[in-house]
Amino acid sequence: ELKVEQNPLFLSMQEGKNYTIYCNYSTTSDRLYWYRQDPGKSLESLFVLLSNGAVKQEGRLMASLDTKARLSTLHITAAVHDLSATYFCAVELDNYGQNFVFGPGTRLSVLP
Amino acid sequence: DAMVIQNPRYQVTQFGKPVTLSCSQTLNHNVMYWYQQKSSQAPKLLFHYYDKDFNNEADTPDNFQSRRPNTSFCFLDIRSPGLGDAAMYLCATSGTEGLQTQYFGPGTRLLVL
């Protein structure tokens, strides 16, 4: 059974600081996804990582995937308040777009 | 341009009274999912369709059923809602070629009285 863990589960950080959220998983997979969820809203796709060593960047967020270590990171650079949200990673069990397992989420609060 | 649409956005029902939530998509994706998400928790997959092929998660209660009459539409039926079924229900779709990220609808928040 695939297990997906994230840490930290809660993160409070000051504006302007850098931090990294970690997502690790228990079974071989080379497809990993990051989503953002604002309170009371649905999930928004942030990054799709499809191979070992994949790195994607959008604004102040950068995601990477190490399939050998079964680890993905979401790095936040110079955080701003607008980044406050819950971030989920999700791992795909197969390559047919059918089976995703979500991590528990990291609730991020960026304080002024 | 809405791609995954859910109706209604808010649904109030009574304990034991059947309720149906609907989802439609304009992406022509093969796969449609239903998730249940309770407060401060990750989305929990209930079931998914690959075309017309239905795949139920092992721990999804029998109280939850689904129908997919065509590619565009998928329904979630809760036959006898209990208080514990109050949650946000998310519909998502994905393709099976190229980028396979899931596209989520806005969700239906269900309240059971």
Side-chain angles (χ1 to χ4, degrees), chain A residues 31 33-35 37 40-45 47-48 50 56 88 92 94-105 107, chain B residues 6 31 33 35 37 40-43 45 48 50 55 57 88 90 94-96 98-107 109:
Chain A
R31 291 173 176 261
Y33 305 80
W34 284 96
Y35 294 89
Q37 186 175 36
K41 306 285 188 180
S42 190
L43 278 77
E44 173 192 355
S45 178
F47 299 109
V48 180
L50 298 179
K56 296 279 183 74
F88 292 98
E92 188 175 341
D94 54 45
N95 292 340
Y96 300 101
Q98 293 190 65
N99 232 334
F100 293 77
V101 178
F102 279 81
R107 184 177 293 180
Chain B
Q6 290 188 245
V31 193
Y33 309 79
Y35 289 90
Q37 187 179 29
S40 302
Q41 296 183 19
L45 182 64
H48 74 275
Y50 185 114
N55 297 272
E57 292 300 296
M88 174 80 92
L90 296 166
S94 70
T96 52
L99 286 182
Q100 293 170 8
T101 191
Q102 294 185 39
Y103 294 85
F104 282 83
R109 187 167 294 281

Side-chain angles (χ1 to χ4, degrees), chain B:
Chain B
D1 294 341
M3 295 185 290
V4 183
I5 302 162
Q6 290 188 245
N7 284 302
R9 296 290 307 278
Y10 299 91
Q11 175 74 58
V12 181
T13 190
Q14 291 180 326
F15 183 93
K17 185 173 181 182
V19 66
T20 295
L21 311 182
S22 76
C23 176
S24 63
Q25 54 134 339
T26 59
L27 298 162
N28 204 33
H29 281 164
N30 301 83
V31 193
M32 294 187 77
Y33 309 79
W34 280 104
Y35 289 90
Q36 179 193 65
Q37 187 179 29
K38 296 188 176 180
S39 183
S40 302
Q41 296 183 19
K44 178 180 179 299
L45 182 64
L46 296 173
F47 23 60
H48 74 275
Y49 277 93
Y50 185 114
D51 293 326
K52 286 190 174 293
D53 185 18
F54 178 70
N55 297 272
N56 197 31
E57 292 300 296
D59 57 354
T60 297
D62 292 340
N63 198 25
F64 291 87
Q65 304 285 318
S66 185
R67 296 169 283 136
R68 189 179 185 185
N70 54 52
T71 300
S72 301
F73 284 87
C74 195
F75 299 97
L76 170 62
D77 301 308
I78 308 176
R79 293 194 294 189
S80 182
L83 297 178
D85 296 328
M88 174 80 92
Y89 289 88
L90 296 166
C91 173
T93 74
S94 70
T96 52
E97 295 177 1
L99 286 182
Q100 293 170 8
T101 191
Q102 294 185 39
Y103 294 85
F104 282 83
T108 294
R109 187 167 294 281
L110 178 68
L111 181 62
V112 181
L113 300 178

